[in-house]
């Protein structure tokens, strides 16, 4: 006789100091997660809705290392899920620029196994996905693996070693407009500056076309990198204030085209960055269980990054996997645990 929005909870006493609960769920997945948190509930059976998620899924954070981001040629935002995927592969999720990144318009598993922090990612002009394997490679070099957009990322069109030795966290990568790969050596360099090495697309990344020190001092994990359409390297300093140092390609990165603080508040390693084709900068705040929505803030190139616009929570929440939904529901259920326990005691009494 209960409302369709309320779960009926039947508790039975057992000789052992545990009870079993049968939950006839209609439309309340949060309460299902709350039931798992109740210490005296030993078994949960789901009736009616077979698509409800298990409350036993752990509540680990949606890790900063789980997702990487890149921009497609039409400014759609590619969110690359590296681990803990439903498909058991590295997944591609696409958020549309037309919706200000509110809508998830595409999602697929790929031919690439799940990946970790030894991988970096970029997107070519034709929207092929470039997976850069930095270390623990068969060729003992930094490797390039390219998944074709035309196959929905089900096939590789290139897998190759490069003349660049294996790399680590002191390296970052960016893609030029002509699909050359920019390898940015942040620290422990011969020139005692942040160095730029360029692998040419024309040689299938088997040749360097540039290797130089720059006007930028050595950098560390506080720094992220992007690339403008004209080939300038954008160094983004996270911290108390978010700053930009733009190295000019016209000087082979020996001079700065721009050095400025931005309109963006303090950032840390939970923020990622991507450059639109008009050189607007997207600042992407990655989600966690407490803040499950990925947020996107736009810094405009026209204002020299002094003006920002919050584009809201990105469509990753709509495109989230069942597992992620379960983690969020489980986390929210902590707030309802007291109500659940009170309801249980009332029913038992």
């Amino acid at each position: 006789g209960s409302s369709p929005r309320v779960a009926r909870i039947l508790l039975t006493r057992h000789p052992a100091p545990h009870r079993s609960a049968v939950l006839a769920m209609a439309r309340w997945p949060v309460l299902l997660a709350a039931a798992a948190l109740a210490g005296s509930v030993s078994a949960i059976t789901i009736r009616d809705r077979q698509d409800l998620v298990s409350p036993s899924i752990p509540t680990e954070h949606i890790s900063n290392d789980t997702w990487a981001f890149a921009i497609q040629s039409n400014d759609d935002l590619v969110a690359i899920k590296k681990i803990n995927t439903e498909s058991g592969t590295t997944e591609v999720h696409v958020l549309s620029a037309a919706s200000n990144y509110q809508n998830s318009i595409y999602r697929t598993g790929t031919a690439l196994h799940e990946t970790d922090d030894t991988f970096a990612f970029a997107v070519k002009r034709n929207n092929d996905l470039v997976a850069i394997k930095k270390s623990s490679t068969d060729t003992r070099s930094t490797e390039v693996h390219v998944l074709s957009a035309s196959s929905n990322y089900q096939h590789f069109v290139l897998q190759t070693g490069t003349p660049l030795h294996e790399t680590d966290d002191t390296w970052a990568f960016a893609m030029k407009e002509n699909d050359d790969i920019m390898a940015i050596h942040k620290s422990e360099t011969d020139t005692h500056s942040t160095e730029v090495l360029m692998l040419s697309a024309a040689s299938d990344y088997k040749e360097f076309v540039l290797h130089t020190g720059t006007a930028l001092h050595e950098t560390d994990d506080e720094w992220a990198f992007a690339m403008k359409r004209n080939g300038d390297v954008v160094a983004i300093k996270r911290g108390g204030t978010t700053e930009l140092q733009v190295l000019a390609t016209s000087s082979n990165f020996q001079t700065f085209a721009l050095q400025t603080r931005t309109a963006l508040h303090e950032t840390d390693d939970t923020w990622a960055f991507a450059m639109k084709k008009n050189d607007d900068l997207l600042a992407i705040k990655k989600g966690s269980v407490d803040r499950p929505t990925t947020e996107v803030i736009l810094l405009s190139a026209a204002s020299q990054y002094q003006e920002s616009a919050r584009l809201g929570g990105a469509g990753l929440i709509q495109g989230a996997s069942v597992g992620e939904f379960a983690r969020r529901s489980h986390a929210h259920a902590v707030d309802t645990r007291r109500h659940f326990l009170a309801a249980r005691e009332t029913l038992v009494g």
Side-chain angles (χ1 to χ4, degrees):
S2 60
S3 163
R5 296 187 63 83
V6 179
R8 185 171 70 249
I9 303 174
L10 305 176
L11 297 172
T12 59
R13 297 183 184 275
H14 289 271
H18 294 286
R19 300 166 188 160
S20 65
V22 178
L23 281 73
M25 301 299 295
R27 290 185 291 272
W28 206 352
V30 170
L31 186 56
L32 175 62
L37 295 174
S40 60
V41 174
S42 60
I44 295 175
T45 303
I46 303 171
R47 292 178 178 173
D48 270 5
R49 288 279 305 276
Q50 293 183 356
D51 58 334
L52 287 175
V53 293
S54 167
S56 63
I57 295 174
T59 58
E60 73 269 16
H61 285 292
I62 302 169
S63 166
N64 297 327
D65 294 330
T66 301
W67 296 85
F69 296 87
I71 288 283
Q72 289 189 338
S73 55
N74 64 353
D75 285 334
D76 286 351
L77 182 62
V78 181
I80 301 130
K81 190 171 187 191
K82 299 190 287 182
I83 55 174
N84 299 328
T85 62
E86 285 184 349
S87 64
T89 69
T90 294
E91 293 182 350
V92 171
H93 302 240
V94 179
L95 306 174
S96 71
S99 70
N100 277 340
Y101 308 108
Q102 303 306 295
N103 294 334
S104 178
I105 59 172
Y106 180 84
R107 171 185 167 187
T108 186
T110 70
L112 181 62
H113 54 76
E114 289 190 322
T115 48
D116 56 22
D117 59 3
T118 66
F119 279 81
F121 292 88
V123 171
K124 299 180 71 172
R125 282 174 299 174
N126 65 356
N127 294 334
D128 286 356
L129 180 66
V130 180
I132 301 163
K133 172 70 166 160
K134 297 188 289 182
S135 62
S136 302
T137 62
D138 292 338
T139 61
R140 298 184 181 178
S141 69
T142 294
E143 294 181 349
V144 172
H145 303 260
V146 181
L147 290 155
S148 69
S150 61
S151 72
N152 284 328
Y153 307 105
Q154 303 309 304
H155 299 293
F156 290 100
V157 291
L158 180 67
Q159 293 183 281
T160 185
T162 71
L164 180 61
H165 54 74
E166 289 188 313
T167 48
D168 56 20
D169 289 343
T170 66
W171 292 78
F173 296 86
M175 182 72 72
K176 280 192 71 177
E177 184 70 12
N178 67 353
D179 293 337
D180 287 352
I181 291 176
M182 189 76 77
I184 300 154
H185 195 186
K186 298 187 288 183
S187 62
E188 302 175 12
T189 64
D190 293 338
T191 61
H192 303 294
S193 69
T194 293
E195 293 183 349
V196 169
L197 296 81
M198 198 178 303
L199 291 161
S200 72
S203 70
D204 281 342
Y205 308 108
K206 293 186 182 301
E207 296 177 4
F208 287 114
V209 291
L210 181 69
H211 184 171
T212 184
T214 70
L216 182 62
H217 54 74
E218 289 189 315
T219 48
D220 57 21
D221 289 344
E222 287 188 344
W223 293 78
F225 292 85
M227 183 155 284
K228 297 181 75 170
R229 191 169 187 176
N230 68 354
D232 288 354
V233 171
V234 181
I236 304 146
K237 188 176 190 303
R238 296 172 288 207
T241 59
T242 302
E243 301 176 1
L244 297 188
Q245 310 270 347
V246 181
L247 290 159
T249 187
S250 59
S251 69
N252 267 350
F253 312 110
Q254 303 309 304
T255 61
F256 291 101
L258 179 68
Q259 294 178 284
T260 185
R261 292 185 178 182
T262 71
L264 187 61
H265 52 72
E266 179 178 359
T267 51
D268 56 22
D269 63 0
T270 65
W271 290 79
F273 298 89
M275 187 71 70
K276 294 183 67 177
K277 300 309 176 188
N278 66 353
D279 294 335
D280 287 350
L281 184 65
L282 297 181
I284 303 150
K285 172 65 173 173
K286 303 177 193 178
S288 67
V289 168
D290 295 331
R291 295 172 60 91
T293 305
T294 298
E295 298 178 0
V296 178
I297 294 174
L298 183 144
L299 293 163
S300 73
S303 71
Q304 293 198 320
Y305 309 102
Q306 301 308 301
E307 295 178 4
S308 65
R310 184 180 181 277
L311 302 183
L316 282 180
I317 193 166
Q318 285 93 1
S321 69
V322 172
E324 285 162 0
F325 177 75
R327 287 191 283 275
R328 290 197 294 272
S329 296
H330 200 143
H332 289 310
V334 173
D335 296 332
T336 68
R337 185 173 185 272
R338 242 180 276 122
H339 300 294
F340 173 82
L341 293 173
R344 186 191 62 188
E345 291 304 319
T346 299
L347 288 168
V348 171

